[in-house]
């Protein structure tokens, strides 16, 4: 167990290093100057800012300096938000984005899996057709269109929820629901397909021949085996949800990390982009590490040696 964890941690560290290295050099290949982009008429000011942030030094020297700071968990200072560190931005706005993402996961995963199970159990019935049509329509509808429609209905017409800001739990209900719709749809379709595939296995036919009740066969045999393939994508889903959605945050004026990530790329804010990419890669690697450990709990055939 200790050897396995140590090996996984080593692979995780190497993965994060590789991502940081590739992103560092790819960002430097982007055309343009971040300071001339903001103030094209003052070339001398741009040159002074480049020297101040060390962007005029050789590329390998910049890379070595960045990696040294990264080892000390220092992502550097933003080139767009002068005087503000990337660490400060993450510490301030990540809890908001994480809360929104976790709420969406807590709503979307159980509800989507439940609808998928019911759709498979009552295959060909009204519930099955309703779930399939609804999930397809909701998936096809863009999130910004859905956000605008629900804001018009529940915020303007009915006045049940506030249309923007992030001040109380009531402000989180509508964006959480919209963000969870995609999760519900994907899990419903996946769970239905997996349940139907597992239902064709010989061991379930044997269990049915032995007289096991349908409830026990579904909940103690079929669901447990159908859920295993879905665990594989769980790590990416958790990491993606924790990093937020720019569209939803923009639509509801939520002060999350999504807007910073987009503006940092368009504004050639190297340090902000790199910091957020590395931070997200840490979340992905850690979530996948937990998923690997979870396999041994869910499936007794998988054991960590």
């Amino acid at each position: 167990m200790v050897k396995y964890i140590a090996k996984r941690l080593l692979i995780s560290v190497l993965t994060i290093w590789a991502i940081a290295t590739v992103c560092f050099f790819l960002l430097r290949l982007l055309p343009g100057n971040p300071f001339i982009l903001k103030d094209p008429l003052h070339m001398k000011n741009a040159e002074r800012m480049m020297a101040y942030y060390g962007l005029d030094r050789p590329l390998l020297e910049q890379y070595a300096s960045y990696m040294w700071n990264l080892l000390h968990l220092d992502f550097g200072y933003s080139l767009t938000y002068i005087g503000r560190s990337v660490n400060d931005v993450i510490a301030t706005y990540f809890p908001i984005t994480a809360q929104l993402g976790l709420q969406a996961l807590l709503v979307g995963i159980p509800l989507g899996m439940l609808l998928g199970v019911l759709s498979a159990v009552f295959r060909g019935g009204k519930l099955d057709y309703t779930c399939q049509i609804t999930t397809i329509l909701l998936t096809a509808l863009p999130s910004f269109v859905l956000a605008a429609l629900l804001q018009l209905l529940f915020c303007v017409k009915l006045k049940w929820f506030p249309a923007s800001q992030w001040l109380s739990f009531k402000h989180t209900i509508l964006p959480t629901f919209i963000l969870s719709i995609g999760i519900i749809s994907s899990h419903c379709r996946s769970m239905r397909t997996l349940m139907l595939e597992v239902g064709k296995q010989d061991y379930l036919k044997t269990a049915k021949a032995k007289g096991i009740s349908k409830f026990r066969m579904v909940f103690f045999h079929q669901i447990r085996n159908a859920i295993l393939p879905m665990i594989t994508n769980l790590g990416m889903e958790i990491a993606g949800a924790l990093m937020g959605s720019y569209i939803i945050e923009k639509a509801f004026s939520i002060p999350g990390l999504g807007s910073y990530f987009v503006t940092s790329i368009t504004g050639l804010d190297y340090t902000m982009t790199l910091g957020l990419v590395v931070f997200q890669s840490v979340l992905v690697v850690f979530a996948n590490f937990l998923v690997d450990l979870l396999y041994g709990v869910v499936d007794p055939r998988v054991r960590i040696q």
Side-chain angles (χ1 to χ4, degrees):
M1 181 68 174
V2 176
K3 184 179 179 181
Y4 172 80
I5 294 177
K7 182 179 178 181
R8 288 291 301 167
L9 287 176
L10 178 60
I11 294 174
S12 300
V13 171
L14 293 176
T15 302
I16 295 170
W17 168 79
I19 292 173
T21 301
V22 171
C23 289
F24 179 88
F25 289 104
L26 285 179
L27 283 173
R28 294 307 192 274
L29 293 176
L30 293 176
N33 182 301
F35 302 107
I36 295 178
L37 190 67
K38 299 175 182 62
D39 193 4
L41 299 179
H42 295 82
M43 180 68 73
K44 290 189 177 296
N45 290 339
E47 292 176 355
R48 282 196 293 266
M49 293 300 290
M50 291 284 287
Y52 176 78
Y53 283 99
L55 298 177
D56 59 340
R57 293 182 294 173
L59 192 59
L60 291 179
E61 187 177 338
Q62 294 182 45
Y63 171 74
S65 176
Y66 181 78
M67 283 300 174
W68 176 257
N69 293 331
L70 195 61
L71 286 175
H72 296 81
L73 303 179
D74 181 9
F75 292 119
Y77 282 84
S78 171
L79 306 182
T80 302
Y81 306 94
I82 305 299
R84 190 163 196 188
S85 67
V86 180
N87 295 59
D88 179 51
V89 171
I90 293 175
T92 303
Y93 299 107
F94 175 68
I96 298 174
T97 298
Q99 180 185 345
L100 178 62
L102 288 175
Q103 288 182 185
L105 288 174
L106 291 175
V107 172
I109 292 178
L111 187 57
M113 292 178 64
L114 176 62
L115 292 176
V117 170
L118 294 177
S119 183
V121 172
F122 300 101
R123 180 185 181 185
K126 293 182 179 179
L127 179 62
D128 183 24
Y129 288 124
T130 302
C131 289
Q132 291 187 63
I133 294 173
T134 304
T135 54
I136 292 173
L137 290 176
L138 291 177
T139 304
L141 190 64
S143 56
F144 66 89
V145 175
L146 184 61
L149 292 175
L150 294 183
Q151 282 177 320
L152 178 63
L153 175 61
F154 292 106
C155 303
V156 179
K157 299 293 185 181
L158 300 177
K159 299 185 184 301
W160 288 0
F161 306 108
S164 62
Q165 299 301 317
W166 189 266
L167 303 175
S168 64
F169 179 75
K170 195 173 183 179
H171 289 77
T172 71
I173 295 176
L174 207 55
T176 297
F177 173 71
I178 296 172
L179 196 59
S180 66
I181 284 178
I183 302 173
I184 295 172
S185 300
S186 63
H187 279 77
C188 179
R189 295 195 305 272
S190 299
M191 195 65 184
R192 178 184 182 275
T193 302
L194 292 170
M195 286 283 291
L196 294 177
E197 289 180 358
V198 171
K200 300 176 183 178
Q201 300 299 319
D202 292 335
Y203 66 87
L204 281 180
K205 296 178 181 178
T206 304
K208 186 176 181 180
K210 289 182 177 180
I212 296 178
S213 65
K214 187 174 183 179
F215 176 84
R216 184 176 179 85
M217 187 168 60
V218 170
F219 284 92
F220 292 94
H221 296 278
Q222 202 168 353
I223 291 179
R224 185 166 185 176
N225 288 278
I227 203 175
L228 287 174
M230 300 185 69
I231 296 178
T232 306
N233 298 323
L234 189 60
M236 292 296 295
E237 287 184 349
I238 294 174
L242 290 179
M243 288 306 295
S245 169
Y246 171 74
I247 296 175
I248 301 302
E249 291 179 1
K250 193 72 174 178
F252 289 91
S253 300
I254 299 173
L257 281 180
S259 59
Y260 281 90
F261 192 75
V262 174
T263 56
S264 67
I265 297 175
T266 56
L268 296 179
D269 192 344
Y270 302 137
T271 51
M272 181 68 74
T273 304
L274 267 174
L276 294 180
V277 168
V278 172
F279 181 70
Q280 185 174 14
S281 68
V282 171
L283 293 178
V284 172
V285 170
F286 181 70
N288 286 328
F289 176 72
L290 293 181
V291 167
D292 289 341
L293 296 180
L294 184 61
Y295 258 113
V297 177
V298 177
D299 189 354
R301 295 170 297 179
V302 179
R303 285 293 178 263
I304 300 172
Q305 299 295 337

